[in-house]
Amino acid sequence: MKSIPLNVISERISKVAVERPDMVIGILEGGRTMADLIAKKMGCRVGYVRISFRDATNTPVYEAPTLIGPFEDIPERMKKILLVDDVSVTGKTLKAAKDLLPGKEIITMVLKGEADMVVFPEIRECVVWPWTSVSAT
C-alpha cells in the first residue's frame, strides 16, 4: 500500500493543466481536500456532494452510488464545473454526480483511476491518502 503526502498531492495538482472552472465540486469525503486545494488555487467557488456506495470502512453498502443528504442548487451562471474525487475505479460515482448537474459543462478529475483528468496516472496500487486511514483501491 502506498502513502502520498499532502504536499506532493498539492504540487502535482498545481501542475495539471485545467481551464478555470466556474465552480469546483468535490465528492465527499475523498474529494473534499482536492476540491478545496483547486478552488483556492483558481479563486473559484467550491461545493460538495456526498455520493457513495461504501461506508466509512470502505465496505459496499448500496448497490449503486447513492446521494446521501442534500445537494445544493448550483446557480445557473455556474456553467463550467470541475468535478473531483480522490479515486474512481468504475466511474459510477462520477456519473451519478454528473447526473445531478444537467445542462452543465463538466470535466472530471481524480487523483487515481479513470476520469477526464488523472493526477497520478502511474499509480495502480492501493493508496492511503493523508485525509483517511482507510485504503482506497
Side-chain angles (χ1 to χ4, degrees):
M1 193 161 327
K2 186 173 188 70
S3 181
I4 304 173
L6 186 58
N7 67 317
V8 172
I9 293 168
S10 180
E11 181 180 310
R12 184 72 77 94
I13 286 172
S14 72
K15 292 180 180 176
V16 175
V18 61
E19 242 181 79
R20 184 185 185 278
D22 296 320
M23 184 172 188
V24 178
I25 297 178
I27 298 176
L28 299 175
E29 283 299 317
R32 177 189 302 271
T33 300
M34 191 172 162
D36 290 342
L37 287 169
I38 294 168
K40 183 176 181 178
K41 173 189 170 213
M42 295 187 158
C44 58
R45 184 173 171 175
V46 65
Y48 312 97
V49 61
R50 185 177 306 278
I51 296 176
S52 186
F53 64 94
R54 299 178 181 276
D55 65 13
T57 64
N58 212 23
T59 303
V61 292
Y62 303 106
E63 287 186 30
T66 302
L67 176 64
I68 302 167
F71 180 57
E72 68 179 285
D73 287 329
I74 307 302
E76 183 61 33
R77 71 182 187 282
M78 301 287 168
K79 302 268 187 215
K80 188 173 184 178
I81 306 293
L82 180 61
L83 182 62
V84 300
D85 203 356
D86 55 356
V87 176
S88 177
V89 177
T90 66
K92 290 179 183 178
T93 301
L94 289 173
K95 182 181 179 331
K98 287 171 77 171
D99 290 347
L100 295 171
L101 300 162
K104 305 293 184 184
E105 178 187 340
I106 300 168
I107 302 295
T108 58
M109 180 189 285
V110 296
L111 294 176
K112 172 185 174 294
E114 301 295 325
D116 297 322
M117 306 175 86
V118 181
V119 178
F120 294 97
E122 73 279 7
I123 296 177
R124 299 284 179 232
E125 66 266 36
C126 291
V127 175
V128 176
W129 304 108
W131 46 88
T132 182
S133 61
V134 177
S135 67
T137 52

